[in-house]
Amino acid sequence: MEVILVLLILALLNGAIAFIDEMLQELVSMTLYADRYMLSAGGNSMVGTLFDIMLGFGVSLIILKFLKKGFACYVMWTEGDPDTEPSGLVLRFVEAVVVAVCFPTLYRWLAEVTEEIIDQLMAAIGVSTNYDWQAWVNGISSLGLVTAIFGLVFIICYFMLYFQFLMRGLEITILRIGLPMACVGLLDNDKGVFKAYMNKFFQSTFAVVIQICLCKLGVGMMLNIGFNMNMFWGVACIVLAIKTPAFLRDFLVPTGGGGGAINNIYHSVRLVGMAKSMAK
């Protein structure tokens, strides 16, 4: 009976490894630029077109809100403090328009920084990306039913994590498209919806970094079947990678202040991108 179960699990694993090796390729790019892979057959991306549409609506709303706030404050005296200098409102208006228009460039810098961080982390922890899945399955066949069950659990968790990568890519794509609308909040003194929007954006990006590192670390440990404890560490890594978004929500939450932490991250990413461009 044990032999039959092992053979059945091995048949499932052999069917799965035909997809897994391809799935591990370009995980970072697939998550940060999901639109390129969804429409790869068409040869182009829809994000640019959709972003341009949302940019037009966003800038229109920014202008309307700027005029409304200026009229209510300095003409009708029904909103804000009419004694304050109008330069503050003008500066916030310029900031909102600039961020909305320049966001594709800012996102490209953020994606480059994210990819570089992941590459450096992979090099630091010594994770090889040259996996021999067939040798792993062949090794499991000689290690008994328990090892085969753990291997099957690992593969199931990996497929769950892969679908999380797809959903994370779609989430980031939606956030990229909708950012011009969120820039309307920059006209408010407390940054309005923009503060929470950027918090969600960086939370999703940071989750990608942790999940990819844990995923590849778990795969590297799991495939080292010569050490039984590595098998448990591999399963632990892949399970924690699945739970990473919930883990990050415990501390990456919008603050009650002026969004200083998010603004600092935003400006840091922008400065890093500018420095890289100048270096080139």
Side-chain angles (χ1 to χ4, degrees):
M1 184 65 179
E2 179 179 341
V3 175
I4 296 176
L5 290 175
V6 170
L7 291 176
L8 178 61
I9 293 174
L10 290 178
L12 293 173
L13 294 179
N14 278 313
I17 63 175
F19 302 97
I20 291 179
D21 199 37
E22 183 179 351
M23 289 177 177
L24 278 172
Q25 304 299 320
E26 300 182 345
L27 273 180
V28 182
S29 180
M30 181 196 70
T31 309
L32 297 177
Y33 295 103
D35 52 295
R36 298 178 181 176
Y37 294 83
M38 288 188 294
L39 301 177
S40 58
N44 53 13
S45 170
M46 64 178 177
V47 169
T49 303
L50 295 178
F51 180 84
D52 290 340
I53 295 173
M54 298 304 294
L55 179 62
F57 278 106
V59 172
S60 299
L61 288 176
I62 290 171
I63 295 173
L64 289 174
K65 186 171 183 178
F66 170 72
L67 295 175
K68 183 262 182 186
K69 289 179 72 71
F71 182 79
C73 182
Y74 298 105
V75 178
M76 300 299 297
W77 297 355
T78 58
E79 181 179 322
D81 184 5
D83 293 329
T84 59
E85 292 292 332
S87 59
L89 179 60
V90 174
L91 288 175
R92 293 196 299 272
F93 168 74
V94 173
E95 179 187 8
V97 174
V98 169
V99 172
V101 172
C102 297
F103 178 73
T105 300
L106 297 176
Y107 181 77
R108 187 178 71 251
W109 290 344
L110 174 64
E112 290 174 356
V113 171
T114 303
E115 291 177 340
E116 186 173 341
I117 289 174
I118 292 176
D119 290 341
Q120 292 181 2
L121 289 174
M122 291 293 98
I125 62 180
V127 175
S128 172
T129 57
N130 297 320
Y131 305 117
D132 191 344
W133 290 94
Q134 191 59 57
W136 174 66
V137 174
N138 295 337
I140 285 179
S141 63
S142 61
L143 295 178
L145 179 61
V146 174
T147 303
I149 291 175
F150 271 98
L152 181 60
V153 170
F154 179 84
I155 293 300
I156 293 174
C157 290
Y158 177 78
F159 275 100
M160 293 173 60
L161 180 60
Y162 184 77
F163 281 110
Q164 271 200 12
F165 283 131
L166 297 181
M167 291 187 292
R168 189 75 55 215
L170 289 171
E171 183 178 89
I172 292 176
T173 299
I174 293 172
L175 291 172
R176 288 168 58 195
I177 294 172
L179 187 125
M181 304 294 291
C183 288
V184 178
L186 287 172
L187 290 172
D188 299 322
N189 291 325
D190 61 352
K191 306 300 181 182
V193 70
F194 182 81
K195 181 173 61 177
Y197 197 94
M198 292 306 295
N199 184 81
K200 180 63 177 177
F201 194 91
F202 283 109
Q203 178 181 326
S204 298
T205 307
F206 191 43
V208 169
V209 175
I210 297 178
Q211 285 184 301
I212 289 178
C213 290
L214 286 174
C215 173
K216 294 196 174 183
L217 180 61
V219 170
M221 288 186 171
M222 192 65 185
L223 266 62
N224 191 0
I225 59 175
F227 300 92
N228 290 332
M229 290 305 298
N230 280 356
M231 176 179 64
F232 298 107
W233 281 111
V235 174
C237 285
I238 208 77
V239 172
L240 180 58
I242 294 174
K243 299 176 66 176
T244 293
F247 169 70
L248 292 180
R249 279 196 296 268
D250 292 338
F251 61 92
L252 283 181
V253 295
T255 59
I262 299 302
N263 286 331
N264 288 337
I265 296 174
Y266 164 73
H267 290 299
S268 298
V269 170
R270 184 169 62 177
L271 289 174
V272 170
M274 293 174 63
K276 290 179 62 178
S277 300
M278 293 173 63
K280 292 181 180 179

